[in-house]
Amino acid sequence: MSITDRRSLLQAAAAIPLVASAATTALAQTPAEPAKPAPSKDVTRKLAHYIVNAKYEDLPDNVRKEGIRTLLNWVGVAIGGSRHQTVDIAVSALAPFSGPAQASLFGRRERFDIMNAAFINGVSSHIFDYDDTHLKTIIHPAGPVASAILALSEMQPVSGKEFLNALVLGVETECRIGNSVYPNHYDVGWHITGTAGVFGSAAAVGKLMNLNEQQMVWAIGLAASQPVGLRESFGSMNKSFNPGRAAANGIFAATLASKNFTSSDSMIEAKRGWANTISTKQDYNEILGDLGKRYEAALNTYKPFACGIVMHPAIDAAIQLRNENKLTADQIERVDLKVHPLVLELTGKKTPREGLEGKFSIYHAVAVALVEGAGGEKQFSDRAVTDPTIVALRSKVMPVITPGIDPAQVDMTIVLKDGRTLHRYIAHAIGSVEVPMTDKQLETKFADLADGIISAEAARRVIDACWNVESLPSAAEIAKMSVST
Amino acid sequence: MSITDRRSLLQAAAAIPLVASAATTALAQTPAEPAKPAPSKDVTRKLAHYIVNAKYEDLPDNVRKEGIRTLLNWVGVAIGGSRHQTVDIAVSALAPFSGPAQASLFGRRERFDIMNAAFINGVSSHIFDYDDTHLKTIIHPAGPVASAILALSEMQPVSGKEFLNALVLGVETECRIGNSVYPNHYDVGWHITGTAGVFGSAAAVGKLMNLNEQQMVWAIGLAASQPVGLRESFGSMNKSFNPGRAAANGIFAATLASKNFTSSDSMIEAKRGWANTISTKQDYNEILGDLGKRYEAALNTYKPFACGIVMHPAIDAAIQLRNENKLTADQIERVDLKVHPLVLELTGKKTPREGLEGKFSIYHAVAVALVEGAGGEKQFSDRAVTDPTIVALRSKVMPVITPGIDPAQVDMTIVLKDGRTLHRYIAHAIGSVEVPMTDKQLETKFADLADGIISAEAARRVIDACWNVESLPSAAEIAKMSVST
């Protein structure tokens, strides 16, 4: 009997209990099913085929380069978040259950089995909401993928080129699948970094485990069975949990598939598979269209400031004017900004009293950017929010809702006490696709995040290792260099 | 600043990136959200309060009794499935990653950390689709819960009474949450045993970890973030994966919450929390109504035969007539059965050639029931399906679709060669709520499943330990007794 026949029979049998319960629940009146589009053929299999066969040499230069930037940015935020209470709790809770000490924790001394290490590093990298963004879907793609394959690379030999290829393929898989169900899936409440992220992890880990096509199909199916994260988690540690658990779930899926633990052959597109169950929209062309020709992974962006994107244009303008004019706070009479309504709606807090509140205050953000010329975690600390100079300057910041200004723009005028006015209009903030962070800016962000966690020399070595990942004999070097000593 | 204020701010901030991407994706035209009912207040908190405060002494007698039957049935199927290839693969794949040898594998020799042990035992218990059924929702409740808390009980002291209380509370939590989103959630494609099961595991494990109410709220939130399973998995090993992973995910949630890893305070009912995101129907009265007075856990049923429920009435009738009349195959001229259309649609295979196909053949099921007087795994083996006597009798089985017969019924007439006719009408098959399996029948099922895996004496000891769980100083005894030696 063919496998297909067997599976059809099993599926029919599994449906039996549902039917038989009709006797007790009048199931005879099964609710009419809403019309669904005809299922596309072989989406899962074609995606698996692509992942299994895509080689490092196939990657265009710009895609490789963006993959390296994605890696560097991720390593920096993973180190940066490593001492947060959230990570302390995760380490303490999971230590009694950890497997062998297979993989490093970025910025820390402990070692865990690869699944728990991937979880903890994934959590760490997302804590400050300072990671990367696939702007169309708001997926933060690197967390679920990089944490998984860096951990794996400490357990089996993975060259830098193989690693980079897997990272790109994982991000690509994650973003394409996210695109296929966007925006409906996110809008209804799923934390898409977690729900799409598990596919990215499974794909990247499965690639490095050399799964064959059938095994990769099953890995995708097992990943699809383990979505992670709801948007209600925002505001709690659960938000950071989501990309971390997605990373671990992807390793779990690929590991089982590597031993021929079977799943459906069409889990993404089947009538009661992933896309139809978890979303009211399914566009499979987003997954399969131009595979290997068009790369979502090339569109990744990196947060330049450790706060929500709606404040980034104003911070950008403030830093530019400060630096160009060597401004000090005492020179400033007033700061007028023309902003979109969302800036006041989401970040309108006038008197933040502690660091976290500062992330919701355009008044603080502009003031600290003018005083300190930066918008990193340090600028959203209790220290910064209570600094008398910054507090004083805050009250001179005057945002005004102005038609024609969209959320990615700002029009800033600084009025100086000597009568001069300084003007800056931002059409696209630093960190956008139009104005990406430069390599140097990524290095500065990294160094700032690593400060106090690993030495400046160690940070420099990790940065260099990331830039040179393709020539590393073993990608594990990056993880090993990123621990605390 | 209050925690509530802080969370509101963080939630607002987390929304910022979505908004800011409008600049690049014309988000100004955010899709209109469908109207949702006003969120109910404090569903998660009230459920957590109940779980945390519910005592063993609160359990009515019939609920305790059914909980014990649930335990016995589950242990039997966990042992029975333990040598299946699916379990072999899971053990082989996960062994390199396992934590300390904290917990037993039922029917086997290996030991794993509690999360992986719970996963593997959960898989094992579901392989034959022979476990328990909450008929309204088709949840198979014990798997995600019993596997989790039996593993936990080997790591920390758990008395038999505490264990039974936790088992009931876990099943209760799982089934009530399942009820709240049924049937929409299942119909669209979720494997509800996995999606509801993770709550049951988290609740039961959290109970035994003595989480306080706030921690239980967070455990529920972290569980809600980890749904498991799609119906497309039916027909592959992925189906058994689902309750196992739900068990492990629940332990993961409770473990983190025990160290104050935070989640939302209202993850079940929040606008973008679990019920609104994963279902188009939300009936919170199903979760909170008559908590502690009405028990879904008392409605659990156990499969009497190792196949889909739609064949159970016919097997039941055949065994009854066989036993009452001491029938042998050579006496039988013909077997007429009046059946519901689904019997032929789902189990109409006339010539099964191997054991698994037999589970989809009403012809085989009736024939083997008449010849062997049973419908367990042995009766759906390659041996049984190719037995000449059974094959010959198969061709004398004549099912006829008859109006007025529903899927839980059968009207059977056996025509004997000597001219006699034997008739049996089944209104409710054995294993239904109306005609539950007797304790003796559960023991017979257990012994049949354990045969060849643990000795008959060991099986008897485990059965007795289950019946007497309330007097056990340590529930771990049951697990320890259930291993292979």
Side-chain angles (χ1 to χ4, degrees), chain A residues 30 57 67 100 104 134 145 169 250 252 259 280 287 301 314 324 429 442:
Chain A
T30 308
E57 290 74 24
S104 309
H134 176 253
V145 183
L169 290 173
F252 199 72
K259 298 287 188 181
T280 49
I287 298 177
T301 65
E324 288 167 19
L442 285 180

Side-chain angles (χ1 to χ4, degrees), chain B residues 356-379:
Chain B
L356 188 56
E357 287 188 314
K359 294 195 181 195
F360 302 86
S361 171
I362 189 65
Y363 305 92
H364 168 74
V366 170
V368 72
L370 286 169
V371 173
E372 302 194 351
E377 268 303 301
K378 293 192 179 77
Q379 280 67 49

